[in-house]
Amino acid sequence: MLTYSLNDTGSDSLYIYIYKCIKNDILHGVLAPDTKLPSKRSFAKNLGVSIITIENAYATLLSEGYIYTIPKKGFYVSDSYSDKSKRDNASFKKNNNASPQY
């Protein structure tokens, strides 16, 4: 079960904070492609928030392509962003290993 601390959400609304946490986990490979996310009801209960809060976070992730849904099965992590993140990180490391130009 995904668990996030909701004590320091800053100025973000709860759903935005949860969205950012899940998005970060996807981009950093914590959540692998095709990983099934918790149901909205169980996730909301686990975090102590409204189901609507989780629905809004999932809807935002869905609209941006970070997750996909299979009707009556649930929400799953998309592979497009995980692969993009790996490519970007490899490119970043490659470019930062170059000798400095003076």
Side-chain angles (χ1 to χ4, degrees):
M1 177 65 68
L2 297 174
T3 304
Y4 301 112
S5 172
L6 302 179
N7 295 331
D8 188 23
T9 61
S11 62
D12 290 336
S13 64
L14 275 178
Y15 92 89
I16 292 292
Y17 181 78
I18 294 167
Y19 150 79
K20 287 180 178 179
C21 289
I22 298 171
K23 176 182 167 183
N24 186 54
D25 282 352
I26 292 169
L27 293 176
H28 288 94
V30 175
L31 292 171
D34 300 318
T35 299
K36 187 174 192 289
L37 296 176
S39 71
K40 295 179 282 188
R41 185 178 313 264
S42 67
F43 196 22
K45 184 177 180 181
N46 183 55
L47 293 179
V49 298
S50 164
I51 294 172
I52 293 171
T53 300
I54 302 302
E55 285 176 349
N56 289 336
Y58 279 9
T60 304
L61 290 162
L62 188 63
S63 73
E64 293 182 6
Y66 290 103
I67 63 173
Y68 64 94
T69 186
I70 299 175
K72 300 190 184 214
K73 296 284 185 186
F75 292 89
Y76 297 82
V77 175
S78 174
D79 63 352
S80 59
Y81 281 97
S82 296
D83 291 343
K84 181 182 183 307
S85 177
K86 288 176 190 171
R87 285 193 307 270
D88 290 348
N89 285 339
S91 175
F92 176 78
K93 287 177 183 176
K94 180 180 175 184
N95 291 335
N96 284 335
N97 287 334
S99 299
Q101 300 286 320
Y102 295 105

